[in-house]
Amino acid sequence: MDSLPSQTFSVEITDNHIHAGAVAVPGAQTSEWLLNSPDPPTFWEQIVGVINETAIPRSCRKNPNKKVSSSSSEKQSIFKTIITLLQRVFPILKLARNYKASKFKNDLMAGLTLASLCIPQSIGYANLAKLDPQFGLYTSVVPPLIYAFMGSSREIAIGPVAVVSLLLSSMLQEIQDPVADPVAYRRLVFTVTLFAGIFQASFGLLRLGFLVDFLSHAAIVGFMAGAAILIGLQQMKGLLAISNFTTKTDVVSVLKSVVRSVHQTWYPLNIVIGCSFLIFLLVARFIGRRNKKLFWVSAIAPLISVILSTLIVFVSRADKHGVKIVKEVKEGLNPISIHQLQLNSTTVGLAAKSGLIAALIALTEAIAVGRSFASIKGYNIDGNKEMIAIGFMNIIGSLTSCYIATGSFSRTAVNYSAGCESVLSNIVMAITVMVTLQFFTRFLYFTPMAILASIILSALPGLVDINEAVRIWKVDKLDFLACLGAFLGVLFHSVEFGLLVAVGISFAKILLISIRPGTEEVGRLPRSDMFCNRKQFPMATKTQGFSIIRINSALLCFANASFIRDRIMRLVEEDEDGDDIAIKDQPKQLVVDMCNVMSIDTSGIIVLEELHKRLLLHGIQLTIASPKWEVIHKLKKTKFVERIEGRVFLSVGEAVDSCIGNASKFPSP
């Protein structure tokens, strides 16, 4: 390609404004630059580039221009490369460079505060997942330790969460009854956890983080709200000491079960204990939210509730008067569970499906929580790295008697408020839970089930965000439809059906926008060379003899090409009908602004050719403006540029000026 001609620039300062002027470059010359631009990267080059960019650290890439002076410097370079790779896999290694004793003090206090909230919540969430209490504690030991070494979020608190616990119980008890055969149910849970971890790690390794984005923010808001209401209704069993409770999760079945229990024997003491401590927990939560300095009140309230309620039951022997208690919590650290995985059973397909659904929900919550607090602290986290870390912690967790763990918003907020400095707070929390498992589980024997229900109920208000739902309604009605669909689907059918509805509506929105993209007629703003939507900017003027239409779609492809062609022809025909006789006598030009079109396929090119032919029948010439690199490359390959006689320009302004200049060379008829 010929070298570009040198340009001279001048700067003029008038009336406190700086005008940078350049020697005007003819539109024909810029068009030539555009048409003679080099070919874009091929498909395989793009794949290699993505792999190099995402999988290989920048400091580890080979620089062909860099010369190695000696073997010692080469060894030093290899050593630095190894250190960089290790730090990339285990971000905790970066802490050694600037970690101080004062930071450890903050992490220690944050970890202990976190443990005081985590221990009672983990027991309650295990009960929600239809597992024995110790499995909730197990899940608060191994996954946080693994994440502390592999994760990049400093504030996130790892462990069992309410939504995933409900999701597991709702999906798996249809496959295996947890009451009839708790051992088989437990094995199924471990198998699902293994599949969830494999899916999560695979998403990260293959850079498939965009899959999580199919669960839009609006869908998550609706899903969380519906799940919160279901979780709350499920706690009626523990709060009211209902014996025969439904295994279904929809709101109708749960309410029927509560109504039918009216005729059974009631235990007022159970209700009094549960409701009293629920009020205490809600008041503590209110105090912690109103005064940030008193965050520890809401953090330590669940542990205080467990201790006090256990003492009350033990002293009064309330378990003899109808108060249901936890009973035995197995002592000791996490046992190995690799032999309990059911990889050869007939339910392995259902386990994989359940693992995929749970993996997506867990990833969505963890990444959302991590990014929220990272933005507050002013740093970024890599979604793909987070997926790998969460995936590996669940894979190892499934081998050590844990079920699916993820980031908890409520515990992360406590961790952040407690002043955590790094992921070491997760390690402190895990060690505290280990000590509890080893020495203090015997003291949980008389803990009432009602207090676990109260702890879960007190954490649910944070899952229902009414203000956000109202904001979604005001901003985007289709987003609100996805939010409402997820909410009603979870509430009246099942958790997985609600997810399916939300994803379906989100896909429908994407397809609607892709298949029926917008096209707009643009005009020149007064005293400028900018062309904008004439409906949005009524002051924009139309250039006589021109129809300038902008395509508002990133893709011009088989799905939307015909629709765009018909819309353009409709706008052109409307312009013809609206023009007066004097304007009709002038040469007609249609300028298609493709500044938004990132890619075009063969169907899109064929439609452009059809549009060109139909316009010629109307005596109108087609001109292309602002095509992107890949688009102009394909238009040249198919010789479409030759068919329109090279009328391709860098901008709409150049296209209009060039066409006017060419038209002025010919006498008017």
Side-chain angles (χ1 to χ4, degrees):
M1 184 175 176
D2 296 333
S3 60
L4 299 180
S6 60
Q7 302 293 331
T8 60
F9 293 84
S10 63
V11 179
E12 179 183 0
I13 304 177
T14 59
D15 299 331
N16 297 325
H17 293 284
I18 299 177
H19 302 283
V23 176
V25 180
Q29 188 171 4
T30 57
S31 177
E32 183 181 348
W33 294 349
L34 178 64
L35 294 175
N36 293 332
S37 59
D39 293 342
T42 64
F43 176 74
W44 296 111
E45 288 174 343
Q46 291 179 17
I47 291 179
V48 172
V50 169
I51 293 174
N52 287 334
E53 183 69 26
T54 56
I56 303 175
R58 184 167 298 178
S59 58
C60 298
R61 298 174 198 163
K62 292 183 178 180
N63 186 356
N65 298 323
K66 186 176 181 180
K67 296 181 180 180
V68 180
S69 57
S70 63
S71 59
S72 60
S73 60
E74 184 177 356
K75 291 179 181 179
Q76 187 177 5
S77 176
I78 294 174
F79 178 75
K80 287 182 178 180
T81 301
I82 295 173
I83 294 298
T84 303
L85 286 173
L86 287 175
Q87 289 180 345
R88 190 174 176 85
V89 177
F90 303 107
I92 195 174
L93 297 177
K94 297 179 182 179
L95 289 176
R97 290 183 296 183
N98 54 5
Y99 196 75
K100 300 178 182 178
S102 59
K103 290 186 176 182
F104 177 73
K105 179 182 176 182
N106 293 335
D107 283 333
L108 178 63
M109 295 305 298
L112 293 175
T113 306
L114 198 57
S116 68
L117 176 62
C118 172
I119 291 170
Q121 279 192 350
S122 298
I123 296 173
Y125 293 153
N127 182 55
L128 184 61
K130 311 298 182 187
L131 293 168
D132 294 333
Q134 65 267 19
F135 292 102
L137 297 174
Y138 294 158
T139 307
S140 296
V141 174
V142 174
L145 290 175
I146 301 300
Y147 181 87
F149 283 91
M150 300 186 67
S152 56
S153 174
R154 304 169 196 164
E155 295 80 23
I156 195 169
I158 298 296
V161 296
V163 174
V164 175
S165 300
L166 173 68
L167 184 65
L168 282 177
S169 64
S170 65
M171 290 190 299
L172 301 188
Q173 63 186 355
E174 297 179 359
I175 305 172
Q176 184 68 55
D177 190 349
V179 177
D181 193 346
V183 175
Y185 177 80
R186 186 167 65 242
R187 290 176 176 176
L188 182 60
V189 169
F190 295 154
T191 306
V192 170
T193 302
L194 175 66
F195 278 114
I198 291 173
F199 282 123
Q200 290 167 336
S202 300
F203 292 159
L205 291 170
L206 298 176
R207 296 325 199 209
L208 300 178
F210 65 89
L211 292 176
V212 177
D213 295 331
F214 282 120
L215 287 174
S216 65
H217 171 69
I220 292 297
V221 170
F223 172 78
M224 290 294 186
I229 294 175
L230 279 186
I231 292 168
L233 292 173
Q234 289 281 336
Q235 300 317 301
M236 294 297 103
K237 177 183 179 181
L239 200 64
L240 304 177
I242 300 174
S243 300
N244 299 319
F245 202 75
T246 181
T247 57
K248 297 181 180 179
T249 57
D250 63 284
V251 65
V252 176
S253 300
V254 173
L255 289 177
K256 282 182 179 179
S257 183
V258 173
V259 171
R260 288 171 184 168
S261 65
V262 172
H263 304 290
Q264 74 175 29
T265 304
W266 288 85
Y267 301 101
L269 190 57
N270 201 89
I271 301 173
V272 169
I273 291 176
C275 292
S276 299
F277 281 100
L278 176 60
I279 295 172
F280 167 72
L281 290 167
L282 291 175
V283 170
R285 184 176 184 272
F286 176 77
I287 294 173
R289 290 174 67 88
R290 286 295 297 270
N291 191 339
K292 299 299 181 182
K293 293 181 179 179
L294 298 177
F295 72 92
W296 55 269
V297 174
S298 59
I300 203 171
L303 185 60
I304 293 175
S305 300
V306 170
I307 294 173
L308 291 179
S309 62
T310 303
L311 286 174
I312 291 171
V313 173
F314 176 73
V315 172
S316 64
R317 301 301 298 177
D319 56 311
K320 304 293 185 181
H321 302 283
V323 175
K324 292 188 176 182
I325 58 176
V326 172
K327 296 184 179 179
E328 183 180 1
V329 179
K330 189 175 179 181
E331 287 185 347
L333 301 181
N334 300 40
I336 301 300
S337 58
I338 187 171
H339 59 281
Q340 298 190 49
L341 298 176
Q342 297 177 323
L343 299 178
N344 296 322
S345 66
T346 56
T347 59
V348 67
L350 296 173
K353 185 197 80 170
S354 302
L356 176 60
I357 296 173
L360 290 174
I361 293 298
L363 282 178
T364 302
E365 184 170 0
I367 293 176
V369 170
R371 285 177 176 169
S372 297
F373 286 90
S375 64
I376 296 174
K377 283 291 190 74
Y379 68 95
N380 296 319
I381 61 173
D382 188 336
N384 290 310
K385 287 184 183 178
E386 288 295 287
M387 290 180 181
I388 295 172
I390 294 170
F392 274 100
M393 80 180 188
N394 280 317
I395 291 173
I396 298 174
S398 69
L399 309 179
T400 53
S401 301
C402 304
Y403 72 98
I404 299 175
T406 187
S408 166
F409 188 86
S410 61
R411 294 198 294 274
T412 302
V414 168
N415 196 29
Y416 171 77
S417 300
C420 75
E421 297 285 350
S422 68
V423 290
L424 286 181
S425 60
N426 271 291
I427 297 178
V428 173
M429 180 200 70
I431 293 174
T432 306
V433 177
M434 289 169 63
V435 172
T436 302
L437 276 167
Q438 192 69 33
F439 302 108
F440 298 111
T441 54
R442 68 190 73 176
F443 299 110
L444 298 173
Y445 184 92
F446 289 100
T447 301
M449 299 295 293
I451 198 63
L452 300 181
S454 300
I455 291 171
I456 294 175
L457 286 169
S458 67
L460 296 183
L463 297 178
V464 181
D465 196 342
I466 298 176
N467 292 331
E468 185 62 19
V470 172
R471 191 180 73 87
I472 292 171
W473 164 259
K474 292 179 180 179
V475 174
D476 193 322
K477 299 300 186 290
L478 280 177
D479 264 0
F480 182 78
L481 185 62
C483 176
L484 186 64
F487 176 76
L488 296 178
V490 170
L491 209 57
F492 291 100
H493 194 277
S494 64
V495 175
E496 56 267 34
F497 181 77
L499 284 176
L500 184 62
V501 170
V503 173
I505 294 175
S506 299
F507 265 111
K509 179 183 176 181
I510 294 172
L511 289 175
L512 182 63
I513 295 173
S514 301
I515 294 174
R516 301 179 67 85
T519 54
E520 60 188 29
E521 187 177 11
V522 299
R524 191 194 297 262
L525 290 178
R527 298 181 299 278
S528 75
D529 197 32
M530 297 179 63
F531 288 79
C532 302
N533 188 346
R534 293 183 63 199
K535 292 183 178 179
Q536 183 181 2
F537 299 92
M539 72 290 299
T541 58
K542 180 178 179 181
T543 305
Q544 291 186 352
F546 283 84
S547 290
I548 307 173
I549 297 173
R550 179 176 295 153
I551 301 174
N552 291 327
S553 174
L555 296 175
L556 182 57
C557 59
F558 66 94
N560 58 20
S562 297
F563 175 79
I564 291 175
R565 177 198 59 204
D566 296 339
R567 286 290 299 272
I568 291 176
M569 288 304 304
R570 192 179 306 127
L571 290 172
V572 171
E573 291 168 358
E574 288 175 359
D575 282 348
E576 284 189 325
D577 295 338
D579 285 342
D580 54 33
I581 297 175
I583 296 177
K584 278 189 175 182
D585 290 339
Q586 295 180 1
K588 289 289 189 71
Q589 295 281 346
L590 171 66
V591 179
V592 178
D593 184 2
M594 302 183 72
C595 63
N596 297 320
V597 181
M598 299 292 112
S599 181
I600 187 171
D601 66 0
T602 53
S603 298
I605 295 173
I606 290 173
V607 162
L608 285 179
E609 292 174 348
E610 293 175 359
L611 179 65
H612 173 55
K613 293 176 183 177
R614 290 177 62 175
L615 289 172
L616 288 178
L617 296 177
H618 290 261
I620 300 174
Q621 292 182 330
L622 175 64
T623 300
I624 302 297
S626 308
K628 298 300 182 183
W629 196 7
E630 183 179 340
V631 175
I632 189 62
H633 174 68
K634 291 183 178 180
L635 294 182
K636 289 191 298 182
K637 284 289 186 182
T638 56
K639 298 184 178 180
F640 178 76
V641 175
E642 296 179 9
R643 294 188 183 92
I644 61 173
E645 301 175 357
R647 290 188 298 275
V648 181
F649 298 91
L650 273 176
S651 66
V652 175
E654 289 185 359
V656 172
D657 295 341
S658 179
C659 292
I660 291 176
N662 291 335
S664 64
K665 296 178 182 179
F666 301 96
S668 53

